[in-house]
Amino acid sequence: MNTCKPLAALILLLATTAIFSQNTENPITLSVAKIMQDPLVSIGSLPSNIYWSDDSKTIYFNWNPEKAESDSLYKVAIRGGQPEKVSVAKQQELPANSGDYDRNYKRKVYAKNGDLYLLTTVNGNIQRLTQTVERESNPQFSQDEKHIIYTRKRNIYVRRISDGMVKQVTNFRSGQAPKKDNGPRNENEKWLKKEERKLIQVLRERADKSELSKNRREQNKPDGPKEIYLGSKRIDGQQLSPDQRFVTYRLITSASGAKRTNVPDYVREDGFTENLPARAKVGSPIDKYEFAIYDTKRDTVYYLDEKQIPGIYDQPAFLATEADTSAEEADKTPRSLVVYGPYWSDNGANAVVVVRAWDNKDRWIMQLDPAEGKLSLLHREHNEAWVGGPGISGWVFFPGNIGWLPDNRRVWFQSESTGYSHLYTADVVSKKVSALTSGNFEVIAAQLSRNGKTWFLTTSEVHPGERHFYHMPANGGKRTKITTMEGNHQVTVSPDEKTLAIRYSSGNEPWQLFLMANKAKAAARQMTNELSEQFRSYNWRKPENVTFTASDGATVHARLYRPSYRTDTDPPIGKGPAVIFVHGAGYLQNAHKWWSTYFREYMFHNLLADNGYTVLDIDYRASAGYGRDWRTGIYRHMGGKDLSDHVDGAQYLIDQLNVDPARIGIYGGSYGGFITFMALFTEPDVFACGAALRPVSDWAHYNHPYTANILNEPQLDTLAYQRSSPIYHAEGLTKPLLICHGMIDTNVHFQDVVRLAQRLIELGKEDWEVALYPLEGHGFREPSSWTDEYRRIFKLFETHLK
């Protein structure tokens, strides 16, 4: 066994030679160096960021068929033809791909490069509205569509379209309001002032002149908005109501005592070490949000009373298990929250807000009466783990999908109330909530047609690993499937809603751009195909989508790569080695039927299969795509069911795929690196070796939004952190371990590896090593770094599994 070496010795480049394929069907031999090249070489250029011209005649997208330093903007006509590169000069003339349309979609107002423009969609005429040093943003049409409302710096302005007259609506100012001379404070001071004026003529004359000047200034003072001083608070979310009476906004008080981390950057052009500012750690003090309303008619500002939110005093169930927490005291403290909106109906009569608790265990959709500052509940989404899912979001910084139906009384949104994310409406008059979709699948995306009669939906109802596009009546009912190809369809509907631009991929085919009519059974036309010669010359596997049963009875989805010499009908010829790959992020789906975000790993798995390995890629507990209970299956115990799913996957390989139980390795990055740690530290009899890349070793040192969702805060839920953090289980290491980490990683900090290394040294552990990458962050940039990392991984497997 190798003993632990000094760090300097651990970064020596492994002299690994080319790795030869055993698959005689392929004309090329895969090697780590080939598959870890720049993706433009190993794969080719793939289209991204697709959008339509406002006249629905042209599709724009980012692409790089020239293999330049970065992607460029390309366009292709709806009728087809060769995509054309859009010059920089022409790009400056193009309208922004976002903005606000009037009700008839004949005009669009948008911001570009800090200025405002008005587009007439019928003829393409563009009118420039501003040309200023200060940036204008967030333009939208007023309720009467005669004005444009926008923000400059932090204030709201209204521009009359007919003559360009601009009115400033708000006057938000930093700091405190100037102190006013309130005059005598008591009877004694009043008497003294009165007597001084009687006795001293000059004082009396000066006072009279001062009063006269003050009155004249007040009389000549131009009309303007109320001065609202923010003190040291920040402001965001400024909105003006459709009738231009109410201004709503959020005030943010920065957390005091929230210490932020630094990441040392050792290799720099100037030769000096510099600290990169990074995030705070989970459990640090958080900012406080307030929701304010400025009634311009009454010239007054008031704040939304959080006490009227049902359940705002509810405390999480886990606190009842913590002996050092007083439930009686906790019940007296309202939870921190953030308010989004308001979202106004098209006629301007109704408004709703989305309220999210900072602990992310509640989301409320509430009707707002701005005149009274009153809220009434429409829907409450509660989860003792954390609120999330498609169209809802597991981040408190996002309100989720929400909008209004044309009747101006029903608001639509997504909810996981039944266990899967589905489409719902809430009636602001009757308060009735209705489900528009249902079933054991997820609504991934929802868009209402311009005429308000049809839903355009993307769902997973065919298979958890597929995404298809559907039409559905606005009030729910039968869905009509539009797309047909197996895989993922990322659809962008043309403005006239007649054509679909589709970014499509399958299990072994990278993303390409297709066009098709927006109707069932229409043919899809491929518009791009710029894959590299190297990629085309290899017969890439389409991973098999398989399932196995976990120890608790759950069905687990996975992708399987068989060795090149094995098929599902071949008889056993001796037990072989296997590798289990653990995807990152936790909430991410990888056992699907489209081109993987982990394309390097996909190619590496082909290389492993060429060399006789069976590879299993598991969508373990907490992965995306399988509903609420799967998503939250790791609450308060990371390294629990997510790890046992991998242990059960290893047993599946043994029982069903003739894998040698003594020759199973495991590897992954980020969350996958964490699972690799937990696998080797707590299940050493299952896995023969492992490679942990950019791994988390102690969740108390990760960020707040992600970690607090799953494990709460470390000072409140110590048990969850101790049983979930590898550093507490390091004494269990008995098998070979490779750790690879970028030293300027501002996501999972290199400190995680350093602390764990010290722990392993103190425990006297052997057969582990660390590879450092001084110029890499969480996601590597340099092909040389990727190559070095995966050569080490392959050598680990070849040494201990063959």
Side-chain angles (χ1 to χ4, degrees):
M1 298 177 69
N2 296 326
T3 58
C4 180
K5 306 172 180 64
L7 288 182
L10 295 178
I11 61 173
L12 293 176
L13 179 65
L14 298 180
T16 307
T17 57
I19 300 155
F20 293 98
S21 168
Q22 298 179 12
N23 187 347
T24 57
E25 298 178 1
N26 280 303
I28 71 164
T29 297
L30 286 185
S31 71
V32 171
K34 283 183 178 179
I35 62 179
M36 296 300 159
Q37 293 180 86
D38 187 304
L40 289 172
V41 177
S42 61
I43 301 172
S45 180
L46 311 182
S48 62
N49 301 324
I50 297 166
Y51 69 95
W52 285 89
S53 61
D54 289 282
D55 61 7
S56 299
K57 295 179 180 180
T58 306
I59 303 95
Y60 293 93
F61 56 97
N62 290 343
W63 207 31
N64 193 2
E66 299 174 339
K67 297 181 175 57
E69 284 295 316
S70 60
D71 289 1
S72 297
L73 184 67
Y74 278 75
K75 67 177 183 178
V76 64
I78 189 173
R79 63 180 180 274
Q82 186 68 23
E84 301 176 15
K85 188 175 182 179
V86 182
S87 68
V88 174
K90 185 62 178 177
Q91 290 182 46
Q92 296 299 317
E93 300 174 5
L94 291 176
N97 63 350
S98 61
D100 186 51
Y101 290 92
D102 63 15
R103 290 185 184 85
N104 296 319
Y105 295 95
K106 292 183 178 180
R107 296 175 299 173
K108 182 176 84 170
V109 61
Y110 62 92
K112 185 174 181 179
N113 299 326
D115 288 314
L116 304 183
Y117 298 82
L118 183 63
L119 167 71
T120 304
T121 59
V122 178
N123 56 21
N125 180 62
I126 298 175
Q127 177 186 358
R128 186 168 192 165
L129 303 180
T130 65
Q131 189 172 6
T132 61
V133 174
E134 296 178 336
R135 297 180 66 86
E136 289 87 24
S137 61
N138 305 318
Q140 59 184 0
F141 287 101
S142 61
Q143 176 69 22
D144 60 11
E145 298 189 337
K146 296 179 181 179
H147 302 82
I148 293 171
I149 303 167
Y150 63 94
T151 303
R152 176 183 294 159
K153 297 185 76 172
R154 58 188 162 208
N155 284 303
I156 296 174
Y157 295 78
V158 175
R159 176 190 174 102
R160 192 160 56 209
I161 297 175
S162 60
D163 59 9
M165 196 278 286
V166 175
K167 175 184 177 182
Q168 183 173 343
V169 179
T170 64
N171 189 10
F172 294 115
R173 292 172 173 263
S174 298
Q176 305 296 330
K179 292 184 178 181
K180 295 181 179 180
D181 182 6
N182 296 320
R185 293 170 294 179
N186 51 54
E187 291 302 318
N188 175 256
E189 291 182 3
K190 288 181 181 178
W191 184 85
L192 288 172
K193 183 175 182 178
K194 181 180 179 181
E195 290 302 306
E196 286 299 288
R197 284 196 174 189
K198 287 181 180 179
L199 293 171
I200 310 300
Q201 180 179 349
V202 172
L203 289 179
R204 186 169 61 252
E205 291 174 350
R206 287 180 179 178
D208 291 341
K209 288 180 181 179
S210 177
E211 188 69 22
L212 181 62
S213 297
K214 179 181 178 181
N215 291 336
R216 287 175 178 172
R217 287 196 303 271
E218 291 295 325
Q219 293 173 0
N220 296 325
K221 184 178 180 180
D223 292 337
K226 178 185 182 70
E227 292 179 343
I228 301 176
Y229 286 86
L230 307 178
S232 60
K233 299 176 181 179
R234 309 191 308 275
I235 186 173
D236 75 355
Q238 304 94 307
Q239 286 192 43
L240 183 63
S241 63
D243 62 5
Q244 300 185 35
R245 173 179 170 180
F246 300 101
V247 176
T248 55
Y249 55 96
R250 286 187 297 268
L251 290 177
I252 308 166
T253 303
S254 297
S256 59
K259 185 175 182 179
R260 303 189 71 84
T261 56
N262 291 309
V263 174
D265 184 0
Y266 291 99
V267 182
R268 296 178 53 81
E269 187 177 357
D270 60 9
F272 291 87
T273 299
E274 182 172 305
N275 284 329
L276 304 177
R279 53 171 170 77
K281 297 188 179 185
V282 59
S284 297
I286 60 174
D287 294 345
K288 179 183 178 182
Y289 288 78
E290 300 170 276
F291 188 83
I293 302 172
Y294 168 37
D295 185 340
T296 60
K297 183 178 180 180
R298 293 186 293 172
D299 196 30
T300 184
V301 175
Y302 42 99
Y303 295 88
L304 209 59
D305 184 4
E306 60 192 15
K307 296 177 183 177
Q308 59 185 312
I309 299 173
I312 192 62
Y313 290 96
D314 293 353
Q315 295 299 316
F318 81 89
L319 286 177
T321 67
E322 296 293 317
D324 60 347
T325 299
S326 169
E328 184 177 344
E329 282 299 314
D331 287 345
K332 298 178 182 178
T333 306
R335 287 180 286 162
S336 297
L337 53 81
V338 58
V339 180
Y340 295 96
Y343 305 94
W344 291 90
S345 58
D346 186 61
N347 64 2
N350 296 303
V352 297
V353 293
V354 176
V355 184
R356 299 201 66 152
W358 194 259
D359 63 14
N360 207 17
K361 299 185 187 300
D362 278 289
R363 179 203 66 179
W364 299 267
I365 296 175
M366 309 192 76
Q367 188 174 5
L368 171 67
D369 177 359
E372 300 296 329
K374 290 185 178 180
L375 297 173
S376 55
L377 181 66
L378 296 174
H379 184 266
R380 179 182 179 183
E381 184 95 350
H382 176 76
N383 195 312
E384 275 300 329
W386 71 95
V387 171
I392 304 162
S393 179
W395 305 98
V396 297
F397 308 109
F398 180 64
N401 294 338
I402 192 166
W404 287 88
L405 270 68
D407 59 15
N408 290 301
R409 60 178 281 173
R410 286 180 298 162
V411 62
W412 67 267
F413 58 95
Q414 286 181 247
S415 168
E416 281 188 323
S417 295
T418 62
Y420 293 85
S421 181
H422 281 290
L423 197 60
Y424 292 81
T425 63
D427 191 310
V428 299
V429 178
S430 68
K431 303 300 188 285
K432 180 182 178 181
V433 175
S434 303
L436 300 184
T437 62
S438 62
N440 293 342
F441 65 90
E442 294 183 319
V443 174
I444 308 301
Q447 175 186 340
L448 195 60
S449 64
R450 286 185 168 183
N451 63 14
K453 296 180 179 180
T454 304
W455 284 105
F456 300 140
L457 304 177
T458 299
T459 81
S460 62
E461 55 195 277
V462 169
H463 183 276
E466 291 193 52
R467 300 288 183 268
H468 285 282
F469 185 75
Y470 294 81
H471 290 180
M472 184 182 75
N475 292 322
K478 182 181 178 181
R479 291 178 294 280
T480 302
K481 186 166 173 281
I482 305 300
T483 54
T484 59
M485 298 180 289
E486 181 183 82
N488 190 344
H489 302 78
Q490 297 179 354
V491 175
T492 305
V493 183
S494 63
D496 63 11
E497 299 180 344
K498 295 179 180 179
T499 313
L500 307 179
I502 304 173
R503 189 171 181 257
Y504 166 80
S505 72
S506 67
N508 63 348
E509 298 171 315
W511 298 101
Q512 299 295 348
L513 174 62
F514 288 76
L515 288 183
M516 68 175 288
N518 189 10
K519 59 184 180 180
K521 299 180 180 180
R525 295 178 288 142
Q526 186 169 344
M527 311 302 288
T528 61
N529 188 10
E530 195 65 31
L531 299 177
S532 69
E533 183 60 35
Q534 177 176 310
F535 185 85
R536 294 175 186 274
S537 63
Y538 181 83
N539 185 24
W540 298 99
R541 293 167 177 80
K542 178 176 284 189
E544 299 175 48
N545 289 83
V546 300
T547 61
F548 60 87
T549 302
S551 54
D552 64 355
T555 299
V556 183
H557 288 258
R559 299 214 300 185
L560 175 67
Y561 301 76
R562 295 179 187 269
S564 58
Y565 54 80
R566 300 289 299 145
T567 69
D568 56 0
T569 59
D570 288 340
I573 57 172
K575 296 182 181 297
V579 170
I580 293 180
F581 169 66
V582 191
H583 70 68
Y587 189 63
L588 179 147
Q589 187 176 13
N590 205 46
H592 47 58
K593 298 183 180 181
W594 64 83
W595 186 248
S596 177
T597 305
Y598 290 96
F599 58 87
R600 292 183 180 87
E601 289 77 2
Y602 164 79
M603 293 189 287
F604 183 60
H605 297 162
N606 275 265
L607 182 152
L608 288 174
D610 283 355
N611 283 269
Y613 294 86
T614 300
V615 182
L616 192 65
D617 175 359
I618 301 172
D619 272 347
Y620 50 88
R621 232 64 65 100
S623 295
Y626 306 96
R628 177 194 63 205
D629 295 343
W630 197 266
R631 175 177 65 79
T632 61
I634 59 170
Y635 178 57
R636 299 191 72 209
H637 192 184
M638 299 156 102
K641 289 183 178 180
D642 46 0
L643 175 58
S644 65
D645 286 342
H646 289 89
V647 173
D648 295 334
Q651 193 62 47
Y652 164 76
L653 291 172
I654 296 166
D655 294 342
Q656 303 295 324
L657 294 159
N658 204 41
V659 164
D660 186 342
R663 293 194 288 161
I664 301 176
I666 187 169
Y667 89 103
S670 195
Y671 198 96
F674 152 73
I675 287 292
T676 299
F677 277 158
M678 295 297 277
L680 294 190
F681 295 172
T682 67
E683 297 287 352
D685 295 335
V686 177
F687 302 100
C689 64
L693 322 175
R694 52 197 182 278
V696 175
S697 68
D698 188 343
W699 288 109
H701 290 257
Y702 198 49
N703 70 40
H704 186 96
Y706 178 89
T707 319
N709 269 354
I710 305 169
L711 300 179
N712 304 305
E713 295 183 11
Q715 62 270 31
L716 297 178
D717 202 349
T718 302
L719 172 63
Y721 279 82
Q722 289 180 348
R723 67 186 174 191
S724 300
S725 296
I727 199 166
Y728 290 98
H729 307 280
E731 67 276 2
L733 179 64
T734 60
K735 300 294 179 62
L737 169 63
L738 168 66
I739 306 171
C740 300
H741 208 123
M743 294 179 68
I744 53 174
D745 189 339
T746 55
N747 182 1
V748 179
H749 297 172
F750 182 62
Q751 181 193 32
D752 266 49
V753 166
V754 175
R755 293 177 68 244
L756 180 66
Q758 180 61 29
R759 178 74 175 140
L760 293 174
I761 291 169
E762 292 176 1
L763 290 169
K765 294 299 178 179
E766 301 180 342
D767 214 5
W768 61 276
E769 63 178 15
V770 179
L772 316 180
Y773 299 88
L775 287 175
E776 298 292 0
H778 198 63
F780 287 5
R781 297 173 59 184
E782 301 300 325
S784 58
S785 300
W786 285 109
T787 301
D788 179 81
E789 183 178 53
Y790 275 80
R791 278 177 173 167
R792 293 173 185 271
I793 298 169
F794 189 80
K795 183 177 181 181
L796 176 78
F797 294 152
E798 287 286 272
T799 301
H800 299 285
L801 301 182
K802 281 296 187 74

